[in-house]
């Protein structure tokens, strides 16, 4: 198999349990390079847990994560699964960008400092180079004029765009968005979507969890409907959102959102 | 020479326990104008051993007090009376004389001022030692505290257990006891420390333990999302702590750490028990020599000045540390 055909990310039988609650239940997924995948589903269905499992913020009980053809995150030792060495995990995370619902900007660093931090500390780039990268990323998200202020002075939409720039500064091969607009006032949602659209147009591979069906319809190559830790249905936006949707659960969910 | 002579003389007198003669001699010396000699002679009467006749000792101190009072050496006269009162608190002669002397002295501003000038040099020396102790401890304990805090939240059980033990021990026993153990106890294990070293080790360990708990609380109060965001851009745990988590604790740490360091200024007084002359000990020495509470009052003022300066500095630092939170 040559690398063009191989999926960027492959999940095999991912299972995550919290005590006796199964948050993700044996999920299989392939994401090819450049694909835009949107995951929808009711609250508590395991969407965040799945995203967090991909970049190893959550340790899974079963299954395998295969990134660029390599199994990552876990090693077998004496017949038992263990988390891989912390360095190896950090290296993987550096290649996967993640954007959180609540931004989690570093409040004690300026906007530029936030975006520089990855290249500077993780990739150990010289300060000038890190600054150049960060400046470019801030230009990309349209916040060049905010580079020297602290996050506390920004609006929610601006904060989320800085968070996106911070992730992009690491030059990730895959971007994970976990409800990037759910904490925003409605009038600020658009600017964040526009930023994500720009990325999409540049060919970034991304997995987005969102409750905005309009956005999902516009952006997604494929939409997955998740419920109780399982993929209940998947397909193109047209297939999933069509009026002829015959799955009662999905229809109910969509009707409640509209 | 004269001293030796007097000493031999008094020895002979005492051997005969003929105190009358001693007093007569001292009166003679006084009559000749040799007041120093008279006092010296009176000073040779030892305090009575248990069950022994006390009259000679009391009479000799009181005689000395009268001579001193006549010389306008009021402080020393009072001191002589107090020596009597120390052994015989009910002695009315000494008590009345002290009262009379103190009334006579009527501390006006000029006496307080002259006492202040007299005491200030040794108090200032003591205060410098106090400051040295405070600064050494302030240098050592935040580092120790950070290590203990990181150890406590470590998932490696032996490390977190060890740090738990350190906190448990040093918070659970009196600082005074820890200082005694380090200064008087360790030599029996073959480790002899200079007083200053022992004091800094004792204060340093004690304050590391307290700061450890404060720092741990501050680290754990930082939103969990910060650690996740740091990890998500590929930071290791150590990088995340150093670059993201710990710097955010500074502002939250300032009020409780400021409190600890103000307590520290006062806690340094405890090292006076391990042969160190700092501010408290200097004041105590002056008080015991002159029986003059101005020394203690001055020490209180110096402590207040130090704690006030510290309060002010920490308020400034707290403001600076949190500047990024301002909109
Ligand atoms: N750390 C945890 N400990 C215990 N249970 C958890 C934990 N994290 C998530 N869960 C549970 O796992 C299930 C899936 O949670 P998850 O956050 O993945 O849902 P979600 O689909 O992202 O929901 P939402 O749309 O509300 O964000 C939920 O029932 C949740 O309560
Ligand atoms: Mg979620």
């Amino acid at each position: 198999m040559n690398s063009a055909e191989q999926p960027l990310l492959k999940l095999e039988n991912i299972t995550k349990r919290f005590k006796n609650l199964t948050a993700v239940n044996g999920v299989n997924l392939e994401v090819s390079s450049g694909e835009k995948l949107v995951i929808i589903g009711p609250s508590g269905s395991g969407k965040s847990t799945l995203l967090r499992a991909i970049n190893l913020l959550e340790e899974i009980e079963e299954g395998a994560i295969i990134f660029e053809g390599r199994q990552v995150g876990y090693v077998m030792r004496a017949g038992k699964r263990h988390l891989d060495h912390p360095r190896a995990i950090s290296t993987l995370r550096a290649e996967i960008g993640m954007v959180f619902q609540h931004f989690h900007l570093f409040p004690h660093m300026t906007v530029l400092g936030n975006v520089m931090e990855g290249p500077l500390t993780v990739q150990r780039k010289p300060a000038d180079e890190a600054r150049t990268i960060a400046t470019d990323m801030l230009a990309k998200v349209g916040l060049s004029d905010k580079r020297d202020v602290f996050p506390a002075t920004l609006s929610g939409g601006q904060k989320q765009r800085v968070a996106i720039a911070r992730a992009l500064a690491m030059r990730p091969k895959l971007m994970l968005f976990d409800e990037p607009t759910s904490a925003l006032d409605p009038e600020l949602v658009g600017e964040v979507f526009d930023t994500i659209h720009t990325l999409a147009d540049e060919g970034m591979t991304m997995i987005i969890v969102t409750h905005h069906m309009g956005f999902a319809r516009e952006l997604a190559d494929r939409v997955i409907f998740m419920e109780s830790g399982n993929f209940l249905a998947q397909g193109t936006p047209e297939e999933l959102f069509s009026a002829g949707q015959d799955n009662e659960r999905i229809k109910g969910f969509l009707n409640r959102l509209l | 020479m004269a001293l030796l002579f007097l000493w031999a003389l008094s020895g002979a007198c005492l051997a005969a326990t003929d105190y009358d003669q001693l007093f007569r001699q001292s009166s003679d010396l006084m009559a000749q104008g040799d007041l120093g000699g008279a006092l010296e002679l009176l000073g040779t009467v030892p305090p009575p051993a248990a069950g022994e006749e006390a009259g000679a000792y009391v009479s000799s101190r009181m005689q000395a007090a009268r001579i001193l009072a006549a010389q306008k050496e009021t402080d020393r006269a009072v001191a002589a009376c107090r020596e009597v009162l120390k052994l015989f608190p009910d002695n009315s002669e000494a008590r009345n004389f002290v009262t009379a002397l103190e009334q006579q002295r009527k501390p006006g501003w000029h006496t307080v001022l002259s006492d202040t000038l007299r005491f200030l040099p040794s108090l200032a020396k003591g205060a410098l030692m106090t400051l040295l102790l405070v600064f050494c401890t302030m240098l050592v304990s935040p580092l120790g505290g950070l290590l203990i805090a990181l150890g406590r939240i470590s998932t490696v059980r032996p490390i977190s257990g060890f740090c738990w033990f350190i906190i448990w021990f040093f918070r659970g026993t009196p600082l005074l006891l820890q200082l005694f153990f380090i200064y008087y106890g360790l030599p029996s294990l073959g480790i002899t420390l200079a007083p200053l070293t022992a004091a800094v080790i004792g204060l340093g360990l004690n304050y590391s333990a307290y700061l450890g708990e404060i720092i741990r609380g501050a680290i754990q109060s930082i939103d969990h999302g910060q650690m996740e965001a740091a990890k998500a851009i590929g930071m290791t745990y150590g990088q995340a702590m150093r670059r993201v988590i710990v710097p955010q604790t500074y502002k939250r740490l300032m009020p409780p750490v400021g409190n600890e360091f103000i307590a520290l200024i006062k806690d340094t007084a405890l090292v006076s028990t391990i042969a160190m002359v700092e501010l408290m000990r200097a004041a105590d020495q002056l008080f015991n020599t002159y029986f003059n509470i101005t020394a203690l009052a001055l020490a209180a003022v110096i402590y207040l000045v130090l704690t006030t300066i510290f309060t002010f500095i920490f308020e400034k630092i707290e403001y600076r540390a949190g500047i990024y939170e301002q909109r």
Side-chain angles (χ1 to χ4, degrees):
Chain A
M1 192 197 275
N2 78 38
S3 69
E5 293 165 9
Q6 136 193 321
L8 178 68
L9 176 74
K10 191 169 175 208
L11 304 181
E12 287 174 355
N13 189 33
I14 301 287
T15 300
K16 171 69 197 175
R17 294 187 198 94
F18 295 108
K19 302 228 171 71
N20 43 21
L21 178 122
T22 306
V24 178
N25 189 9
V27 155
N28 292 291
L29 176 68
E30 282 188 17
V31 184
S32 51
S33 207
E35 188 174 3
K36 289 104 188 75
L37 179 70
V38 169
I39 302 178
I40 60 172
S43 181
S45 56
K47 308 180 298 291
S48 298
T49 308
L50 180 64
L51 283 197
R52 292 162 55 79
I54 292 173
N55 78 347
L56 300 155
L57 286 174
E58 217 70 79
E59 186 178 351
I60 53 175
E61 274 75 43
E62 281 167 43
I65 302 166
I66 294 143
F67 189 68
E68 296 187 302
R70 285 178 298 119
Q71 185 162 337
V72 292
Y74 302 88
V75 287
M76 297 299 287
R77 228 182 286 132
K80 268 189 76 182
R81 260 165 54 101
H82 290 277
L83 261 182
D84 202 349
H85 191 269
R87 282 270 163 204
I89 289 176
S90 296
T91 307
L92 176 72
R93 286 184 184 138
E95 302 196 330
I96 300 177
M98 181 143 190
V99 173
F100 302 87
Q101 183 176 352
H102 294 287
F103 334 125
H104 301 321
L105 291 182
F106 306 138
H108 57 304
M109 298 179 187
T110 62
V111 163
L112 187 74
N114 267 272
V115 183
M116 278 175 70
E117 189 56 24
L120 198 65
T121 302
V122 178
Q123 296 174 332
R124 296 183 192 285
K125 295 209 158 120
D128 315 349
E129 201 184 328
R131 194 172 297 112
T132 310
I133 294 171
T135 311
D136 289 351
M137 292 307 149
L138 282 176
K140 193 195 282 275
V141 301
L143 286 172
S144 298
D145 54 328
K146 296 289 184 186
R147 50 175 277 168
D148 294 321
V149 306
F150 286 104
T153 63
L154 299 178
S155 74
Q158 290 169 334
K159 283 182 189 167
Q160 195 60 296
R161 282 147 69 198
V162 174
I164 293 171
R166 178 176 67 183
L168 290 178
M170 294 296 291
R171 309 257 181 229
K173 294 168 178 155
L174 169 67
M175 285 285 288
L176 308 174
F177 293 88
D178 190 2
E179 302 195 31
T181 57
S182 293
L184 300 180
D185 292 336
E187 73 269 23
L188 301 177
V189 168
E191 61 186 77
V192 173
F193 281 157
D194 288 347
T195 305
I196 298 175
H197 258 297
T198 316
L199 280 186
D201 294 344
E202 289 173 3
M204 176 66 77
T205 314
M206 47 179 86
I207 306 177
I208 303 161
V209 172
T210 183
H211 289 297
H212 286 265
M213 292 311 135
F215 177 61
R217 192 191 295 260
E218 259 178 67
L219 188 86
D221 297 323
R222 180 158 51 124
V223 179
I224 292 176
F225 181 85
M226 200 170 173
E227 195 186 64
S228 310
N230 296 297
F231 289 172
L232 217 66
Q234 52 180 303
T236 62
E238 292 75 32
E239 286 165 4
L240 232 75
F241 298 142
S242 69
Q245 174 60 255
D246 49 3
N247 187 315
E248 287 303 322
R249 313 294 299 264
I250 301 175
K251 217 155 51 176
F253 175 74
L254 292 175
N255 283 340
R256 251 176 288 123
L257 275 183
L258 294 174
Chain B
M1 260 313 274
L3 205 87
L4 207 66
F5 167 73
L6 281 170
W7 187 78
L9 192 70
S10 62
C13 295
L14 291 175
T17 60
D18 189 351
Y19 291 115
D20 287 346
Q21 199 192 340
L22 180 84
F23 291 138
R24 233 175 294 123
Q25 279 174 348
S26 73
S27 301
D28 288 349
L29 282 170
M30 225 170 18
Q32 290 159 25
D34 184 5
L35 291 159
L39 284 173
E40 195 100 41
L41 196 56
L42 289 168
T44 56
V45 182
E52 215 174 71
E53 187 64 36
Y57 175 69
V58 173
S59 314
S60 72
R61 297 324 302 141
M62 292 313 297
Q63 175 78 353
R66 277 188 290 274
I67 295 173
L68 287 164
Q71 291 285 299
K72 301 260 175 274
E73 289 266 17
T74 316
D75 286 338
R76 289 177 64 195
V78 171
C81 294
R82 295 237 194 244
E83 278 175 43
V84 172
L85 289 172
K86 225 183 250 173
L87 292 177
F88 309 102
D90 302 328
N91 187 298
S92 56
E93 189 191 1
R95 186 158 297 282
N96 292 340
F97 199 50
V98 167
T99 316
L101 283 171
E102 296 209 310
Q103 266 172 6
Q104 184 192 356
R105 181 154 59 174
K106 285 223 182 65
W109 277 114
H110 58 285
T111 17
V112 173
L113 199 70
S114 69
D115 286 347
T116 303
L117 291 177
R118 190 151 46 123
F119 297 154
L120 220 44
S122 40
L123 288 177
K125 251 175 89 181
L128 278 181
M129 183 51 83
T130 292
L131 274 178
L132 178 68
L133 284 164
V134 167
F135 282 128
C136 288
T137 311
M138 279 176 66
L139 225 59
V140 173
S141 58
L143 290 174
L146 181 61
L147 286 180
I148 290 174
L150 292 176
R152 274 279 271 144
I153 53 184
S154 162
T155 48
V156 184
R157 286 312 292 267
I159 294 178
S160 64
F162 175 74
C163 291
W164 178 90
F165 175 83
I166 295 275
I167 292 169
W168 175 75
F169 182 82
F170 284 97
R171 287 206 316 181
T173 56
L175 174 56
L176 191 58
L177 191 104
Q178 294 159 21
L179 289 170
F180 275 22
F181 180 79
I182 292 169
Y183 186 64
Y184 297 115
L186 286 187
S188 65
L189 301 176
I191 307 168
T192 306
L193 298 168
L196 181 63
T197 318
V200 171
I201 290 177
L203 288 168
L205 280 170
N206 191 269
Y207 275 82
S208 292
Y210 275 95
L211 292 188
E213 278 299 82
I214 292 172
I215 294 172
R216 180 178 68 95
I219 287 176
Q220 290 179 333
S221 78
I222 301 295
D223 176 16
H224 195 61
Q226 291 291 312
M227 178 56 92
E228 300 222 315
K231 284 183 173 172
I233 58 169
M235 285 195 193
T236 59
Y237 179 81
Q239 287 171 334
M241 274 293 170
R242 187 167 49 82
R243 297 285 303 178
V244 176
I245 307 296
V246 172
Q248 288 185 56
T249 63
Y250 295 157
K251 183 193 158 67
R252 294 174 203 206
L253 281 176
M254 281 312 141
V257 169
N259 265 340
E260 286 300 315
F261 285 154
I262 283 164
L264 168 66
I265 295 178
K266 296 172 291 165
D267 269 356
T268 53
L270 289 174
V271 309
S272 59
T273 55
I274 57 168
M276 287 211 64
V277 184
E278 38 60 71
L279 180 52
M280 183 63 222
R281 180 67 173 276
D284 189 44
Q285 282 175 346
L286 289 171
F287 180 70
N288 273 319
T289 314
Y290 298 103
F291 292 96
N292 184 323
I293 62 154
T294 307
L296 299 182
L298 280 174
V301 170
I302 296 176
Y303 275 119
L304 280 170
V305 167
L306 293 182
T307 50
T308 307
I309 293 173
F310 270 61
T311 309
F312 181 75
I313 292 175
F314 274 99
E315 275 169 8
K316 277 268 172 287
I317 299 177
E318 181 189 346
Y319 171 79
R320 290 296 222 81
I323 217 140
Y324 58 80
E325 285 173 2
Q326 272 150 35
R327 286 161 183 275

